[in-house]
Amino acid sequence: MSDIYHFSRGTAPLLISIPHLGSQLPDAQRARMTEVGLQSGDTDWHLDTLYRFADALGASVLGARYSRYVVDLNRPPNDESLYPGQTKTGLCPTHTFRGEALYLNHAALTDDEREHRLQTYWLPYHAKLREELDRIRAEHGTVLLWEAHSIASVLPRLFDGKLPDLNLGTAGGASCAPDILDAVTANLPGCGYTSAVNGRFKGGYITRHYGSPAEDIHAVQLEMCQSTYMDESYPYAYQPDTAAKVIPVVEGMVRAALNQTLARKR
């Protein structure tokens, strides 16, 4: 067992990564944080519950334990912008998505602290991610990496208006084979939810860095509006009746992607 992440090993060529699942904060960091920072509000809440169907698909599941306010596992280690020209949330954030300060007196982080977080939290998660992708590909000849994310549906600091309910990203088509994405999106029309493909969210660092169709590693990111399954305000409660409507849609997309990934090796 790791203190940095949760992991369960499956039997299928499918790895579901949930890098923003965690909400834990180290004690030393908590002592310096604002009340809003302590709420860990930009967590991808309850996705472990939403993706419980993963076991039935034979998926391996990797999920973070620590908050993205410690270090953002879906940002590059050099902290370069993933979306040049747009508001950057950063490797070690100092503000919430809404622009609220995370640290008392707007304290800044030192380079040594950022490096400590990178070494202590970021690197172990990515080492496990790389290990499992390589293991699954060696066993099955291919692997589907499904990046599971969620976000508040309205965040004026990051995007205009309301975000579509389901946002799929494949790094503009570079991180997975076109037929896999086609399989994922085939049933979206008429599913009852709005959607976008490679729109505001094209996939973060994990999707872009690990997705390599030429090497039989196919990566797809799904960024869901949290309004499809939970309350978007503190204390961020899960809404079972609301979630029950979207879970079959999400499961259908993952299943279609997995089936098409398997079909490519037959």
Side-chain angles (χ1 to χ4, degrees), residues 1-212:
M1 173 182 279
S2 169
D3 292 334
I4 307 302
Y5 52 76
H6 307 267
F7 177 71
S8 60
R9 178 175 289 188
T11 57
L14 170 61
L15 175 60
I16 297 177
S17 164
I18 319 177
H20 298 147
L21 177 64
S23 58
Q24 293 183 32
L25 297 162
D27 289 343
Q29 182 175 336
R30 292 179 62 89
R32 301 161 52 203
M33 297 185 76
T34 61
E35 183 176 352
V36 71
L38 291 172
Q39 294 174 0
S40 197
D42 296 318
T43 296
D44 293 6
W45 298 102
H46 310 298
L47 286 186
D48 50 345
T49 300
L50 191 84
Y51 277 85
R52 278 181 181 161
F53 61 80
D55 287 346
L57 295 180
S60 297
V61 181
L62 178 64
R65 294 182 185 272
Y66 281 86
S67 171
R68 72 191 303 159
Y69 291 168
V70 180
V71 66
D72 192 328
L73 301 173
N74 201 30
R75 296 295 179 269
N78 64 0
D79 204 18
E80 67 183 359
S81 177
L82 292 172
Y83 297 97
Q86 299 183 23
T87 300
K88 178 183 170 185
T89 55
L91 180 68
C92 295
T94 56
H95 292 78
T96 71
F97 284 171
R98 292 176 172 81
E100 302 153 303
L102 294 179
Y103 296 96
L104 298 170
N105 302 314
H106 294 271
L109 304 180
T110 66
D111 290 342
D112 286 347
E113 185 168 8
R114 291 190 183 91
E115 183 62 23
H116 170 74
R117 295 184 189 186
L118 188 71
Q119 296 292 330
T120 304
Y121 304 100
W122 194 96
L123 285 174
Y125 189 91
H126 282 266
K128 185 62 175 177
L129 184 58
R130 179 81 271 171
E131 174 188 331
E132 290 305 314
L133 288 173
D134 290 345
R135 177 190 66 81
I136 294 169
R137 183 177 56 175
E139 181 176 342
H140 295 277
T142 189
V143 56
L144 170 67
L145 171 61
W146 188 273
E147 270 288 293
H149 294 263
S150 70
I151 194 169
S153 58
V154 178
L155 286 170
R157 182 170 173 257
L158 300 184
F159 48 81
D160 295 331
K162 181 187 178 297
L163 197 67
D165 297 320
L166 306 171
N167 299 268
L168 291 156
T170 61
S175 68
C176 87
D179 55 299
I180 294 176
L181 181 58
D182 289 344
V184 171
T185 59
N187 293 322
L188 285 179
C191 74
Y193 296 92
T194 57
S195 61
V197 178
N198 289 310
R200 171 61 180 82
F201 292 94
K202 296 178 172 61
Y205 174 77
I206 292 175
T207 301
R208 302 182 196 199
H209 180 72
Y210 294 99
S212 180

